[in-house]
Amino acid sequence: MQDEIQRRAYHLWEADGCPEGQDQNYWFKAVAEIAADAAKTIKPARKRAAPRAKKIAA
């Protein structure tokens, strides 16, 4: 996971012209992008039907 973050951060840093002193900003931006990409692949949980009440014979 760290390798993926490092590659993404480096790519972002290069795309912005290699500014100095911004390593943490690019690291956190890469983490956020990777997390957002991962969140897109998560399917929402299906709703379960409520349990039916049993009828009591009178």
PDB file of all heavy atoms in Angstrom, residues 18-58:
ATOM      1  N   CYS A  18       7.367  19.750  -9.458  1.00  0.00           N
ATOM      2  CA  CYS A  18       8.358  19.370  -8.437  1.00  0.00           C
ATOM      3  C   CYS A  18       8.642  20.472  -7.408  1.00  0.00           C
ATOM      4  O   CYS A  18       9.806  20.805  -7.136  1.00  0.00           O
ATOM      5  CB  CYS A  18       9.661  18.939  -9.104  1.00  0.00           C
ATOM      6  SG  CYS A  18       9.474  17.664 -10.346  1.00  0.00           S
ATOM      7  N   PRO A  19       7.603  21.040  -6.776  1.00  0.00           N
ATOM      8  CA  PRO A  19       7.856  22.069  -5.764  1.00  0.00           C
ATOM      9  C   PRO A  19       8.511  21.476  -4.522  1.00  0.00           C
ATOM     10  O   PRO A  19       8.206  20.357  -4.119  1.00  0.00           O
ATOM     11  CB  PRO A  19       6.455  22.600  -5.442  1.00  0.00           C
ATOM     12  CG  PRO A  19       5.535  21.482  -5.782  1.00  0.00           C
ATOM     13  CD  PRO A  19       6.177  20.760  -6.926  1.00  0.00           C
ATOM     14  N   GLU A  20       9.401  22.230  -3.928  1.00  0.00           N
ATOM     15  CA  GLU A  20      10.122  21.758  -2.741  1.00  0.00           C
ATOM     16  C   GLU A  20       9.286  21.981  -1.479  1.00  0.00           C
ATOM     17  O   GLU A  20       8.493  22.919  -1.405  1.00  0.00           O
ATOM     18  CB  GLU A  20      11.451  22.502  -2.610  1.00  0.00           C
ATOM     19  CG  GLU A  20      12.434  22.137  -3.699  1.00  0.00           C
ATOM     20  CD  GLU A  20      13.790  22.785  -3.464  1.00  0.00           C
ATOM     21  OE1 GLU A  20      14.166  22.990  -2.299  1.00  0.00           O
ATOM     22  OE2 GLU A  20      14.464  23.089  -4.452  1.00  0.00           O
ATOM     23  N   GLY A  21       9.497  21.109  -0.490  1.00  0.00           N
ATOM     24  CA  GLY A  21       8.879  21.283   0.811  1.00  0.00           C
ATOM     25  C   GLY A  21       7.404  20.939   0.886  1.00  0.00           C
ATOM     26  O   GLY A  21       6.739  21.336   1.830  1.00  0.00           O
ATOM     27  N   GLN A  22       6.895  20.227  -0.092  1.00  0.00           N
ATOM     28  CA  GLN A  22       5.474  19.904  -0.115  1.00  0.00           C
ATOM     29  C   GLN A  22       5.220  18.402  -0.025  1.00  0.00           C
ATOM     30  O   GLN A  22       4.144  17.933  -0.378  1.00  0.00           O
ATOM     31  CB  GLN A  22       4.844  20.438  -1.413  1.00  0.00           C
ATOM     32  CG  GLN A  22       4.965  21.930  -1.606  1.00  0.00           C
ATOM     33  CD  GLN A  22       4.158  22.691  -0.573  1.00  0.00           C
ATOM     34  OE1 GLN A  22       3.036  22.318  -0.273  1.00  0.00           O
ATOM     35  NE2 GLN A  22       4.729  23.741  -0.025  1.00  0.00           N
ATOM     36  N   ASP A  23       6.193  17.648   0.450  1.00  0.00           N
ATOM     37  CA  ASP A  23       6.088  16.187   0.419  1.00  0.00           C
ATOM     38  C   ASP A  23       4.887  15.659   1.193  1.00  0.00           C
ATOM     39  O   ASP A  23       4.172  14.778   0.708  1.00  0.00           O
ATOM     40  CB  ASP A  23       7.380  15.534   0.924  1.00  0.00           C
ATOM     41  CG  ASP A  23       7.835  16.060   2.276  1.00  0.00           C
ATOM     42  OD1 ASP A  23       7.639  17.250   2.550  1.00  0.00           O
ATOM     43  OD2 ASP A  23       8.398  15.250   3.049  1.00  0.00           O
ATOM     44  N   GLN A  24       4.616  16.208   2.372  1.00  0.00           N
ATOM     45  CA  GLN A  24       3.467  15.732   3.147  1.00  0.00           C
ATOM     46  C   GLN A  24       2.147  16.036   2.448  1.00  0.00           C
ATOM     47  O   GLN A  24       1.227  15.222   2.474  1.00  0.00           O
ATOM     48  CB  GLN A  24       3.466  16.334   4.543  1.00  0.00           C
ATOM     49  CG  GLN A  24       4.455  15.671   5.473  1.00  0.00           C
ATOM     50  CD  GLN A  24       4.290  16.148   6.900  1.00  0.00           C
ATOM     51  OE1 GLN A  24       3.693  17.201   7.144  1.00  0.00           O
ATOM     52  NE2 GLN A  24       4.813  15.377   7.827  1.00  0.00           N
ATOM     53  N   ASN A  25       2.063  17.202   1.839  1.00  0.00           N
ATOM     54  CA  ASN A  25       0.831  17.556   1.127  1.00  0.00           C
ATOM     55  C   ASN A  25       0.545  16.560   0.009  1.00  0.00           C
ATOM     56  O   ASN A  25      -0.602  16.129  -0.164  1.00  0.00           O
ATOM     57  CB  ASN A  25       0.922  18.967   0.547  1.00  0.00           C
ATOM     58  CG  ASN A  25       0.931  20.031   1.618  1.00  0.00           C
ATOM     59  OD1 ASN A  25       0.485  19.804   2.737  1.00  0.00           O
ATOM     60  ND2 ASN A  25       1.442  21.198   1.275  1.00  0.00           N
ATOM     61  N   TYR A  26       1.569  16.200  -0.736  1.00  0.00           N
ATOM     62  CA  TYR A  26       1.378  15.262  -1.835  1.00  0.00           C
ATOM     63  C   TYR A  26       1.094  13.851  -1.318  1.00  0.00           C
ATOM     64  O   TYR A  26       0.314  13.102  -1.909  1.00  0.00           O
ATOM     65  CB  TYR A  26       2.573  15.272  -2.788  1.00  0.00           C
ATOM     66  CG  TYR A  26       2.574  16.519  -3.624  1.00  0.00           C
ATOM     67  CD1 TYR A  26       3.413  17.585  -3.324  1.00  0.00           C
ATOM     68  CD2 TYR A  26       1.709  16.656  -4.691  1.00  0.00           C
ATOM     69  CE1 TYR A  26       3.394  18.747  -4.068  1.00  0.00           C
ATOM     70  CE2 TYR A  26       1.673  17.808  -5.446  1.00  0.00           C
ATOM     71  CZ  TYR A  26       2.519  18.852  -5.131  1.00  0.00           C
ATOM     72  OH  TYR A  26       2.477  19.999  -5.871  1.00  0.00           O
ATOM     73  N   TRP A  27       1.699  13.495  -0.196  1.00  0.00           N
ATOM     74  CA  TRP A  27       1.454  12.177   0.399  1.00  0.00           C
ATOM     75  C   TRP A  27      -0.025  12.064   0.795  1.00  0.00           C
ATOM     76  O   TRP A  27      -0.705  11.101   0.456  1.00  0.00           O
ATOM     77  CB  TRP A  27       2.356  11.970   1.613  1.00  0.00           C
ATOM     78  CG  TRP A  27       2.217  10.610   2.218  1.00  0.00           C
ATOM     79  CD1 TRP A  27       1.369  10.234   3.204  1.00  0.00           C
ATOM     80  CD2 TRP A  27       2.943   9.435   1.851  1.00  0.00           C
ATOM     81  NE1 TRP A  27       1.531   8.915   3.490  1.00  0.00           N
ATOM     82  CE2 TRP A  27       2.483   8.394   2.672  1.00  0.00           C
ATOM     83  CE3 TRP A  27       3.936   9.176   0.912  1.00  0.00           C
ATOM     84  CZ2 TRP A  27       2.988   7.101   2.580  1.00  0.00           C
ATOM     85  CZ3 TRP A  27       4.438   7.895   0.821  1.00  0.00           C
ATOM     86  CH2 TRP A  27       3.960   6.873   1.650  1.00  0.00           C
ATOM     87  N   PHE A  28      -0.533  13.080   1.524  1.00  0.00           N
ATOM     88  CA  PHE A  28      -1.916  13.037   1.980  1.00  0.00           C
ATOM     89  C   PHE A  28      -2.902  13.142   0.820  1.00  0.00           C
ATOM     90  O   PHE A  28      -3.975  12.534   0.848  1.00  0.00           O
ATOM     91  CB  PHE A  28      -2.179  14.114   3.025  1.00  0.00           C
ATOM     92  CG  PHE A  28      -1.482  13.849   4.328  1.00  0.00           C
ATOM     93  CD1 PHE A  28      -0.636  14.795   4.883  1.00  0.00           C
ATOM     94  CD2 PHE A  28      -1.645  12.647   4.997  1.00  0.00           C
ATOM     95  CE1 PHE A  28       0.017  14.549   6.089  1.00  0.00           C
ATOM     96  CE2 PHE A  28      -0.996  12.387   6.196  1.00  0.00           C
ATOM     97  CZ  PHE A  28      -0.169  13.342   6.744  1.00  0.00           C
ATOM     98  N   LYS A  29      -2.536  13.894  -0.205  1.00  0.00           N
ATOM     99  CA  LYS A  29      -3.406  13.987  -1.380  1.00  0.00           C
ATOM    100  C   LYS A  29      -3.476  12.627  -2.079  1.00  0.00           C
ATOM    101  O   LYS A  29      -4.546  12.200  -2.509  1.00  0.00           O
ATOM    102  CB  LYS A  29      -2.867  15.051  -2.345  1.00  0.00           C
ATOM    103  CG  LYS A  29      -3.776  15.334  -3.499  1.00  0.00           C
ATOM    104  CD  LYS A  29      -3.269  16.502  -4.329  1.00  0.00           C
ATOM    105  CE  LYS A  29      -4.218  16.801  -5.472  1.00  0.00           C
ATOM    106  NZ  LYS A  29      -3.769  17.932  -6.277  1.00  0.00           N
ATOM    107  N   ALA A  30      -2.352  11.937  -2.149  1.00  0.00           N
ATOM    108  CA  ALA A  30      -2.322  10.605  -2.755  1.00  0.00           C
ATOM    109  C   ALA A  30      -3.161   9.617  -1.938  1.00  0.00           C
ATOM    110  O   ALA A  30      -3.922   8.824  -2.501  1.00  0.00           O
ATOM    111  CB  ALA A  30      -0.882  10.105  -2.879  1.00  0.00           C
ATOM    112  N   VAL A  31      -3.039   9.680  -0.621  1.00  0.00           N
ATOM    113  CA  VAL A  31      -3.842   8.802   0.250  1.00  0.00           C
ATOM    114  C   VAL A  31      -5.331   9.067   0.016  1.00  0.00           C
ATOM    115  O   VAL A  31      -6.131   8.129  -0.116  1.00  0.00           O
ATOM    116  CB  VAL A  31      -3.484   9.016   1.740  1.00  0.00           C
ATOM    117  CG1 VAL A  31      -4.483   8.324   2.649  1.00  0.00           C
ATOM    118  CG2 VAL A  31      -2.079   8.515   2.019  1.00  0.00           C
ATOM    119  N   ALA A  32      -5.716  10.326  -0.051  1.00  0.00           N
ATOM    120  CA  ALA A  32      -7.119  10.682  -0.256  1.00  0.00           C
ATOM    121  C   ALA A  32      -7.630  10.174  -1.602  1.00  0.00           C
ATOM    122  O   ALA A  32      -8.746   9.653  -1.697  1.00  0.00           O
ATOM    123  CB  ALA A  32      -7.302  12.196  -0.153  1.00  0.00           C
ATOM    124  N   GLU A  33      -6.827  10.304  -2.647  1.00  0.00           N
ATOM    125  CA  GLU A  33      -7.237   9.843  -3.968  1.00  0.00           C
ATOM    126  C   GLU A  33      -7.386   8.322  -4.004  1.00  0.00           C
ATOM    127  O   GLU A  33      -8.343   7.799  -4.561  1.00  0.00           O
ATOM    128  CB  GLU A  33      -6.239  10.294  -5.036  1.00  0.00           C
ATOM    129  CG  GLU A  33      -6.323  11.766  -5.353  1.00  0.00           C
ATOM    130  CD  GLU A  33      -5.404  12.162  -6.495  1.00  0.00           C
ATOM    131  OE1 GLU A  33      -4.786  11.290  -7.126  1.00  0.00           O
ATOM    132  OE2 GLU A  33      -5.307  13.381  -6.760  1.00  0.00           O
ATOM    133  N   ILE A  34      -6.453   7.626  -3.393  1.00  0.00           N
ATOM    134  CA  ILE A  34      -6.509   6.165  -3.374  1.00  0.00           C
ATOM    135  C   ILE A  34      -7.719   5.699  -2.568  1.00  0.00           C
ATOM    136  O   ILE A  34      -8.426   4.772  -2.967  1.00  0.00           O
ATOM    137  CB  ILE A  34      -5.193   5.575  -2.840  1.00  0.00           C
ATOM    138  CG1 ILE A  34      -4.080   5.821  -3.869  1.00  0.00           C
ATOM    139  CG2 ILE A  34      -5.330   4.093  -2.523  1.00  0.00           C
ATOM    140  CD1 ILE A  34      -2.691   5.526  -3.373  1.00  0.00           C
ATOM    141  N   ALA A  35      -7.984   6.351  -1.447  1.00  0.00           N
ATOM    142  CA  ALA A  35      -9.148   5.995  -0.628  1.00  0.00           C
ATOM    143  C   ALA A  35     -10.448   6.259  -1.387  1.00  0.00           C
ATOM    144  O   ALA A  35     -11.385   5.453  -1.322  1.00  0.00           O
ATOM    145  CB  ALA A  35      -9.129   6.772   0.682  1.00  0.00           C
ATOM    146  N   ALA A  36     -10.508   7.361  -2.111  1.00  0.00           N
ATOM    147  CA  ALA A  36     -11.708   7.679  -2.892  1.00  0.00           C
ATOM    148  C   ALA A  36     -11.919   6.648  -3.991  1.00  0.00           C
ATOM    149  O   ALA A  36     -13.054   6.222  -4.243  1.00  0.00           O
ATOM    150  CB  ALA A  36     -11.599   9.087  -3.480  1.00  0.00           C
ATOM    151  N   ASP A  37     -10.838   6.234  -4.639  1.00  0.00           N
ATOM    152  CA  ASP A  37     -10.939   5.200  -5.679  1.00  0.00           C
ATOM    153  C   ASP A  37     -11.430   3.882  -5.084  1.00  0.00           C
ATOM    154  O   ASP A  37     -12.265   3.197  -5.672  1.00  0.00           O
ATOM    155  CB  ASP A  37      -9.593   4.982  -6.369  1.00  0.00           C
ATOM    156  CG  ASP A  37      -9.193   6.151  -7.260  1.00  0.00           C
ATOM    157  OD1 ASP A  37     -10.051   7.001  -7.572  1.00  0.00           O
ATOM    158  OD2 ASP A  37      -8.001   6.205  -7.641  1.00  0.00           O
ATOM    159  N   ALA A  38     -10.931   3.539  -3.911  1.00  0.00           N
ATOM    160  CA  ALA A  38     -11.337   2.295  -3.253  1.00  0.00           C
ATOM    161  C   ALA A  38     -12.795   2.360  -2.825  1.00  0.00           C
ATOM    162  O   ALA A  38     -13.520   1.369  -2.920  1.00  0.00           O
ATOM    163  CB  ALA A  38     -10.442   2.023  -2.047  1.00  0.00           C
ATOM    164  N   ALA A  39     -13.239   3.522  -2.364  1.00  0.00           N
ATOM    165  CA  ALA A  39     -14.621   3.673  -1.921  1.00  0.00           C
ATOM    166  C   ALA A  39     -15.607   3.484  -3.070  1.00  0.00           C
ATOM    167  O   ALA A  39     -16.733   3.034  -2.857  1.00  0.00           O
ATOM    168  CB  ALA A  39     -14.820   5.041  -1.274  1.00  0.00           C
ATOM    169  N   LYS A  40     -15.191   3.796  -4.279  1.00  0.00           N
ATOM    170  CA  LYS A  40     -16.066   3.628  -5.447  1.00  0.00           C
ATOM    171  C   LYS A  40     -16.353   2.161  -5.734  1.00  0.00           C
ATOM    172  O   LYS A  40     -17.360   1.836  -6.342  1.00  0.00           O
ATOM    173  CB  LYS A  40     -15.428   4.264  -6.680  1.00  0.00           C
ATOM    174  CG  LYS A  40     -15.363   5.768  -6.623  1.00  0.00           C
ATOM    175  CD  LYS A  40     -14.637   6.305  -7.839  1.00  0.00           C
ATOM    176  CE  LYS A  40     -14.379   7.782  -7.726  1.00  0.00           C
ATOM    177  NZ  LYS A  40     -13.574   8.291  -8.841  1.00  0.00           N
ATOM    178  N   THR A  41     -15.471   1.284  -5.304  1.00  0.00           N
ATOM    179  CA  THR A  41     -15.640  -0.141  -5.598  1.00  0.00           C
ATOM    180  C   THR A  41     -16.449  -0.877  -4.542  1.00  0.00           C
ATOM    181  O   THR A  41     -16.809  -2.029  -4.731  1.00  0.00           O
ATOM    182  CB  THR A  41     -14.275  -0.837  -5.739  1.00  0.00           C
ATOM    183  OG1 THR A  41     -13.589  -0.781  -4.481  1.00  0.00           O
ATOM    184  CG2 THR A  41     -13.422  -0.168  -6.809  1.00  0.00           C
ATOM    185  N   ILE A  42     -16.746  -0.217  -3.428  1.00  0.00           N
ATOM    186  CA  ILE A  42     -17.492  -0.854  -2.347  1.00  0.00           C
ATOM    187  C   ILE A  42     -18.981  -0.784  -2.665  1.00  0.00           C
ATOM    188  O   ILE A  42     -19.523   0.285  -2.938  1.00  0.00           O
ATOM    189  CB  ILE A  42     -17.205  -0.173  -0.993  1.00  0.00           C
ATOM    190  CG1 ILE A  42     -15.734  -0.314  -0.642  1.00  0.00           C
ATOM    191  CG2 ILE A  42     -18.098  -0.751   0.103  1.00  0.00           C
ATOM    192  CD1 ILE A  42     -15.324   0.472   0.578  1.00  0.00           C
ATOM    193  N   LYS A  43     -19.620  -1.937  -2.637  1.00  0.00           N
ATOM    194  CA  LYS A  43     -21.054  -1.984  -2.884  1.00  0.00           C
ATOM    195  C   LYS A  43     -21.786  -1.744  -1.569  1.00  0.00           C
ATOM    196  O   LYS A  43     -21.386  -2.259  -0.533  1.00  0.00           O
ATOM    197  CB  LYS A  43     -21.448  -3.348  -3.433  1.00  0.00           C
ATOM    198  CG  LYS A  43     -20.878  -3.631  -4.799  1.00  0.00           C
ATOM    199  CD  LYS A  43     -21.325  -4.975  -5.292  1.00  0.00           C
ATOM    200  CE  LYS A  43     -20.711  -5.275  -6.651  1.00  0.00           C
ATOM    201  NZ  LYS A  43     -21.122  -6.581  -7.148  1.00  0.00           N
ATOM    202  N   PRO A  44     -22.870  -0.972  -1.619  1.00  0.00           N
ATOM    203  CA  PRO A  44     -23.618  -0.751  -0.381  1.00  0.00           C
ATOM    204  C   PRO A  44     -24.272  -2.045   0.085  1.00  0.00           C
ATOM    205  O   PRO A  44     -24.619  -2.909  -0.726  1.00  0.00           O
ATOM    206  CB  PRO A  44     -24.670   0.291  -0.771  1.00  0.00           C
ATOM    207  CG  PRO A  44     -24.755   0.237  -2.249  1.00  0.00           C
ATOM    208  CD  PRO A  44     -23.439  -0.274  -2.751  1.00  0.00           C
ATOM    209  N   ALA A  45     -24.441  -2.174   1.370  1.00  0.00           N
ATOM    210  CA  ALA A  45     -25.066  -3.366   1.932  1.00  0.00           C
ATOM    211  C   ALA A  45     -26.535  -3.414   1.524  1.00  0.00           C
ATOM    212  O   ALA A  45     -27.212  -2.388   1.470  1.00  0.00           O
ATOM    213  CB  ALA A  45     -24.943  -3.342   3.445  1.00  0.00           C
ATOM    214  N   ARG A  46     -26.983  -4.627   1.239  1.00  0.00           N
ATOM    215  CA  ARG A  46     -28.393  -4.776   0.891  1.00  0.00           C
ATOM    216  C   ARG A  46     -29.230  -4.711   2.165  1.00  0.00           C
ATOM    217  O   ARG A  46     -28.818  -5.194   3.213  1.00  0.00           O
ATOM    218  CB  ARG A  46     -28.643  -6.117   0.204  1.00  0.00           C
ATOM    219  CG  ARG A  46     -27.980  -6.188  -1.159  1.00  0.00           C
ATOM    220  CD  ARG A  46     -28.414  -7.401  -1.896  1.00  0.00           C
ATOM    221  NE  ARG A  46     -27.943  -8.604  -1.187  1.00  0.00           N
ATOM    222  CZ  ARG A  46     -28.294  -9.838  -1.496  1.00  0.00           C
ATOM    223  NH1 ARG A  46     -29.121 -10.061  -2.480  1.00  0.00           N
ATOM    224  NH2 ARG A  46     -27.833 -10.863  -0.814  1.00  0.00           N
ATOM    225  N   LYS A  47     -30.396  -4.135   2.023  1.00  0.00           N
ATOM    226  CA  LYS A  47     -31.302  -4.073   3.164  1.00  0.00           C
ATOM    227  C   LYS A  47     -31.939  -5.444   3.342  1.00  0.00           C
ATOM    228  O   LYS A  47     -32.344  -6.082   2.382  1.00  0.00           O
ATOM    229  CB  LYS A  47     -32.386  -3.024   2.945  1.00  0.00           C
ATOM    230  CG  LYS A  47     -31.861  -1.612   2.944  1.00  0.00           C
ATOM    231  CD  LYS A  47     -32.985  -0.626   2.822  1.00  0.00           C
ATOM    232  CE  LYS A  47     -32.452   0.795   2.825  1.00  0.00           C
ATOM    233  NZ  LYS A  47     -33.534   1.770   2.669  1.00  0.00           N
ATOM    234  N   ARG A  48     -31.992  -5.866   4.552  1.00  0.00           N
ATOM    235  CA  ARG A  48     -32.633  -7.143   4.861  1.00  0.00           C
ATOM    236  C   ARG A  48     -34.079  -6.878   5.258  1.00  0.00           C
ATOM    237  O   ARG A  48     -34.390  -5.898   5.923  1.00  0.00           O
ATOM    238  CB  ARG A  48     -31.906  -7.847   5.994  1.00  0.00           C
ATOM    239  CG  ARG A  48     -30.516  -8.239   5.624  1.00  0.00           C
ATOM    240  CD  ARG A  48     -29.868  -9.008   6.729  1.00  0.00           C
ATOM    241  NE  ARG A  48     -28.507  -9.385   6.358  1.00  0.00           N
ATOM    242  CZ  ARG A  48     -27.790 -10.197   7.046  1.00  0.00           C
ATOM    243  NH1 ARG A  48     -28.232 -10.736   8.149  1.00  0.00           N
ATOM    244  NH2 ARG A  48     -26.553 -10.505   6.639  1.00  0.00           N
ATOM    245  N   ALA A  49     -34.929  -7.793   4.873  1.00  0.00           N
ATOM    246  CA  ALA A  49     -36.338  -7.652   5.239  1.00  0.00           C
ATOM    247  C   ALA A  49     -36.476  -7.875   6.745  1.00  0.00           C
ATOM    248  O   ALA A  49     -35.769  -8.681   7.340  1.00  0.00           O
ATOM    249  CB  ALA A  49     -37.167  -8.683   4.486  1.00  0.00           C
ATOM    250  N   ALA A  50     -37.403  -7.143   7.322  1.00  0.00           N
ATOM    251  CA  ALA A  50     -37.655  -7.287   8.752  1.00  0.00           C
ATOM    252  C   ALA A  50     -38.250  -8.674   8.993  1.00  0.00           C
ATOM    253  O   ALA A  50     -39.037  -9.170   8.184  1.00  0.00           O
ATOM    254  CB  ALA A  50     -38.607  -6.203   9.233  1.00  0.00           C
ATOM    255  N   PRO A  51     -37.902  -9.299  10.095  1.00  0.00           N
ATOM    256  CA  PRO A  51     -38.462 -10.621  10.371  1.00  0.00           C
ATOM    257  C   PRO A  51     -39.969 -10.536  10.546  1.00  0.00           C
ATOM    258  O   PRO A  51     -40.502  -9.570  11.098  1.00  0.00           O
ATOM    259  CB  PRO A  51     -37.769 -11.059  11.669  1.00  0.00           C
ATOM    260  CG  PRO A  51     -37.120  -9.850  12.217  1.00  0.00           C
ATOM    261  CD  PRO A  51     -36.995  -8.857  11.114  1.00  0.00           C
ATOM    262  N   ARG A  52     -40.649 -11.535  10.017  1.00  0.00           N
ATOM    263  CA  ARG A  52     -42.105 -11.543  10.105  1.00  0.00           C
ATOM    264  C   ARG A  52     -42.541 -12.031  11.488  1.00  0.00           C
ATOM    265  O   ARG A  52     -41.923 -12.930  12.051  1.00  0.00           O
ATOM    266  CB  ARG A  52     -42.692 -12.471   9.042  1.00  0.00           C
ATOM    267  CG  ARG A  52     -42.427 -11.982   7.647  1.00  0.00           C
ATOM    268  CD  ARG A  52     -43.082 -12.897   6.677  1.00  0.00           C
ATOM    269  NE  ARG A  52     -42.760 -12.488   5.303  1.00  0.00           N
ATOM    270  CZ  ARG A  52     -43.226 -13.076   4.251  1.00  0.00           C
ATOM    271  NH1 ARG A  52     -44.004 -14.125   4.367  1.00  0.00           N
ATOM    272  NH2 ARG A  52     -42.890 -12.645   3.051  1.00  0.00           N
ATOM    273  N   ALA A  53     -43.602 -11.425  11.966  1.00  0.00           N
ATOM    274  CA  ALA A  53     -44.152 -11.846  13.265  1.00  0.00           C
ATOM    275  C   ALA A  53     -44.955 -13.125  13.047  1.00  0.00           C
ATOM    276  O   ALA A  53     -45.707 -13.260  12.071  1.00  0.00           O
ATOM    277  CB  ALA A  53     -45.033 -10.755  13.839  1.00  0.00           C
ATOM    278  N   LYS A  54     -44.794 -14.084  13.935  1.00  0.00           N
ATOM    279  CA  LYS A  54     -45.542 -15.341  13.839  1.00  0.00           C
ATOM    280  C   LYS A  54     -46.946 -15.137  14.391  1.00  0.00           C
ATOM    281  O   LYS A  54     -47.143 -14.451  15.391  1.00  0.00           O
ATOM    282  CB  LYS A  54     -44.856 -16.442  14.625  1.00  0.00           C
ATOM    283  CG  LYS A  54     -43.509 -16.812  14.038  1.00  0.00           C
ATOM    284  CD  LYS A  54     -42.900 -17.949  14.800  1.00  0.00           C
ATOM    285  CE  LYS A  54     -41.542 -18.341  14.204  1.00  0.00           C
ATOM    286  NZ  LYS A  54     -40.948 -19.461  14.898  1.00  0.00           N
ATOM    287  N   LYS A  55     -47.895 -15.719  13.688  1.00  0.00           N
ATOM    288  CA  LYS A  55     -49.279 -15.631  14.158  1.00  0.00           C
ATOM    289  C   LYS A  55     -49.479 -16.689  15.243  1.00  0.00           C
ATOM    290  O   LYS A  55     -49.054 -17.822  15.115  1.00  0.00           O
ATOM    291  CB  LYS A  55     -50.262 -15.876  13.014  1.00  0.00           C
ATOM    292  CG  LYS A  55     -50.232 -14.781  11.985  1.00  0.00           C
ATOM    293  CD  LYS A  55     -51.262 -15.009  10.928  1.00  0.00           C
ATOM    294  CE  LYS A  55     -51.224 -13.905   9.875  1.00  0.00           C
ATOM    295  NZ  LYS A  55     -52.217 -14.109   8.841  1.00  0.00           N
ATOM    296  N   ILE A  56     -50.155 -16.285  16.278  1.00  0.00           N
ATOM    297  CA  ILE A  56     -50.431 -17.199  17.382  1.00  0.00           C
ATOM    298  C   ILE A  56     -51.873 -17.674  17.243  1.00  0.00           C
ATOM    299  O   ILE A  56     -52.792 -16.863  17.111  1.00  0.00           O
ATOM    300  CB  ILE A  56     -50.223 -16.502  18.738  1.00  0.00           C
ATOM    301  CG1 ILE A  56     -48.779 -16.001  18.852  1.00  0.00           C
ATOM    302  CG2 ILE A  56     -50.597 -17.426  19.885  1.00  0.00           C
ATOM    303  CD1 ILE A  56     -48.503 -15.201  20.090  1.00  0.00           C
ATOM    304  N   ALA A  57     -52.048 -18.982  17.224  1.00  0.00           N
ATOM    305  CA  ALA A  57     -53.400 -19.539  17.114  1.00  0.00           C
ATOM    306  C   ALA A  57     -54.148 -19.303  18.422  1.00  0.00           C
ATOM    307  O   ALA A  57     -53.630 -19.572  19.491  1.00  0.00           O
ATOM    308  CB  ALA A  57     -53.334 -21.015  16.798  1.00  0.00           C
ATOM    309  N   ALA A  58     -55.364 -18.801  18.306  1.00  0.00           N
ATOM    310  CA  ALA A  58     -56.131 -18.523  19.522  1.00  0.00           C
ATOM    311  C   ALA A  58     -57.124 -19.601  19.831  1.00  0.00           C
ATOM    312  O   ALA A  58     -57.608 -20.349  19.129  1.00  0.00           O
ATOM    313  CB  ALA A  58     -56.864 -17.204  19.387  1.00  0.00           C
TER     314      ALA A  58
END
